[in-house]
Amino acid sequence: MRAVDIIQKKRDKEILTKEEINFLLEEYLEGNTPDYQMSSFLMAVYFNGMTTEELKYFTEKMIYSGDTIDFPGTHKFLVDKHSTGGVGDKTTIALAPIFGALGMGTAKLSGKGLGHTGGTIDKFESIEGFKFSRTKEELIKLVNETGTGIMGYSDKIVPLDKKLYSLRDVTATVPSIPLIASSIMGKKLAVHADAIILDVKVGSGAFMKNIDEARELAETMYELGKAFDRNIVCFLTNMDQPLGEAVGNSLEMIEAIETLKGNGPEDFTDLIYTLASQALVMKGDTADLESGKQKVRKVIENGQALDMLRKFIKGSGGNPSVCDDYSLLPKAKEKDVFRATKDGYIEHLNAELIGRAAMMLGAGRATKDDIIDHSVGIIMCSKVGDKLEKGAAILEIFHNGNLRDEVLETLAEAVVISEEKIDKQEIILEIIGG
């Protein structure tokens, strides 16, 4: 068996066998297949795709290229909710404690933010003293006590994915749907979960800019999950404007806490209730989303969900009093207001540009080695569809004296005001497999 023959088969749109895929990936991992041959294979996949069976074999090899993780000491129904990334996406902070209050749990790997999208780890680390679990034993203890267990990604999990992604990044093959699906699902399937909920973002602030591509990715990941006999559902959700109102680490922590108090923005609250209800349906506790939402509402109103967040913060070395005293979180020294230049309706709040502006303030990283400022960020005073008068506040900008013209110019480009009435945007666009 030779790598060149396998590349030729994929080039000619023939279906590869499990043995051929295993051979190619094993040889590449061991350094026997050079980058130029693997680059040719990735380009062939980019143009010709993969069948579900091919993708299963490809992903299976990715999974077992490193460690797999299970949680034998847990006694909870474990849900892994994964988002493809967006601006203002603080979903895990609010959702995980709700899972805990409903008798479920989440044990997952999360990452730091890069570029205009924020990372769950960064948001929690805005709490002084907070440290994520460093061992599986610590994670299991927290899951059993609070319903929430989060660790950072390890180089030992799916190392083949890291090697392939570096090559995809320099060969223009990152946008390949099968390769994206395998990269995401390889990491999901390497970690045990009783249910997987995928939140595929769509719009200006997402990796997938249009709904057709996002739907194709979601359907591919769904079919891949089913091929591994996993309990999986995929959501397509709106990321054409930022999620909720807050963008920036400590600001997003506050918004997530307020949501657990029943005071969250409408779009973010709707997403949280729906995802939590979907988990209840997948567990078998409720028959449909509406009855699930009643259970979610109950643990919000009686304070059980917020108590779970307090316990998780305390168990992670942080001060749980941040849930009641926001002055314990980093706070920017200055605030400026971005105002409407004319009467009208907000037609667009470009999520990518707003995320980029927040990054310029220090809320995000341009490179993985950048140090972020947890205190800075942007608050949306208005959302798409809102009616404004000239001079009304659209955005509040929290900064530490570094409000450059470039930030204001980026925000001016992000905000579009129309004279025509604009409909408000739905947060959940489609559900695949629910």
Side-chain angles (χ1 to χ4, degrees), residues 80 185 188-189 193-198 230-233 282:
D80 187 349
M185 290 301 293
K188 297 295 100 184
L189 296 167
D194 298 298
I196 299 172
I197 299 176
L198 298 177
R230 292 300 186 95
N231 188 5
I232 183 170
V233 172
M282 297 169 85

Side-chain angles (χ1 to χ4, degrees), residues 227-365:
F228 282 91
D229 297 319
R230 292 300 186 95
N231 188 5
I232 183 170
V233 172
C234 299
F235 285 77
L236 300 183
T237 65
N238 190 340
M239 188 44 69
D240 214 33
Q241 63 178 335
L243 178 60
E245 297 171 356
V247 179
N249 298 287
S250 64
L251 297 175
E252 291 185 49
M253 278 300 308
I254 292 170
E255 184 166 278
I257 293 167
E258 283 296 307
T259 301
L260 292 176
K261 295 177 180 179
N263 305 321
E266 183 179 351
D267 60 341
F268 184 54
T269 299
D270 185 19
L271 179 63
I272 293 297
Y273 273 55
T274 304
L275 294 178
S277 300
Q278 182 64 60
L280 287 170
V281 172
M282 297 169 85
K283 184 173 183 280
D285 282 359
T286 57
D288 53 56
L289 293 179
E290 286 309 310
S291 55
K293 288 179 182 180
Q294 293 176 19
K295 293 192 173 191
V296 176
R297 190 171 294 108
K298 183 177 179 180
V299 299
I300 295 287
E301 292 175 351
N302 65 21
Q304 286 181 313
L306 186 58
D307 282 343
M308 284 295 182
L309 179 60
R310 289 192 183 100
K311 289 178 182 178
F312 174 63
I313 292 171
K314 183 177 181 180
S316 303
N319 185 351
S321 296
V322 298
C323 294
D324 305 291
D325 183 0
Y326 299 143
S327 70
L328 296 172
L329 289 166
K331 185 177 181 180
K333 296 174 183 176
E334 299 183 37
K335 181 180 83 170
D336 281 83
V337 179
F338 185 92
R339 300 184 183 278
T341 56
K342 61 181 180 179
D343 295 347
Y345 296 84
I346 295 186
E347 180 179 347
H348 194 200
L349 287 172
N350 186 297
E352 181 174 1
L353 293 177
I354 291 171
R356 195 181 301 166
M359 184 180 74
M360 292 177 197
L361 296 173
R365 296 179 182 84

Side-chain angles (χ1 to χ4, degrees), residues 70-87:
D70 56 15
F71 307 100
T74 56
H75 40 262
K76 293 188 181 286
F77 183 85
L78 295 179
V79 184
D80 187 349
K81 189 283 303 176
H82 174 79
S83 167
T84 55
V87 179

Side-chain angles (χ1 to χ4, degrees), residues 27-183:
E27 290 291 288
Y28 181 64
L29 196 57
E30 292 172 8
N32 298 326
T33 296
D35 279 351
Y36 64 81
Q37 283 191 307
M38 184 54 72
S39 298
S40 295
F41 176 78
L42 294 174
M43 190 60 75
V45 170
Y46 178 87
F47 283 112
N48 297 328
M50 281 184 170
T51 66
T52 300
E53 192 171 52
E54 283 179 305
L55 194 54
K56 179 185 177 183
Y57 299 146
F58 189 88
T59 305
E60 189 173 51
K61 198 64 186 174
M62 298 264 278
I63 294 167
Y64 293 107
S65 68
D67 294 344
T68 58
I69 299 178
D70 56 15
F71 307 100
T74 56
H75 40 262
K76 293 188 181 286
F77 183 85
L78 295 179
V79 184
D80 187 349
K81 189 283 303 176
H82 174 79
S83 167
T84 55
V87 179
D89 187 1
K90 71 286 294 180
T91 306
T92 296
I93 303 169
L95 189 60
I98 294 173
F99 286 158
L102 293 169
M104 300 181 289
T106 186
K108 58 179 292 186
L109 306 180
S110 290
K112 291 181 179 286
L114 187 63
H116 69 276
T117 60
T120 298
I121 284 181
D122 299 315
K123 303 181 206 307
F124 272 113
E125 287 183 345
S126 64
I127 302 171
E128 186 177 0
F130 188 99
K131 299 291 182 186
F132 279 97
S133 300
R134 278 166 283 220
T135 67
K136 190 163 68 170
E137 290 71 27
E138 289 178 359
L139 184 142
I140 289 171
K141 183 175 183 291
L142 272 177
V143 169
N144 286 334
E145 292 175 354
T146 72
T148 304
I150 302 174
M151 293 178 68
Y153 277 107
S154 164
D155 289 341
K156 295 181 180 179
I157 304 294
V158 198
L160 180 57
D161 175 62
K162 185 175 182 180
K163 189 174 182 182
L164 284 174
Y165 190 88
S166 297
L167 193 58
R168 288 166 57 202
D169 194 33
V170 296
T171 57
T173 54
V174 168
S176 165
I177 294 291
L179 297 177
I180 296 169
S182 182
S183 178

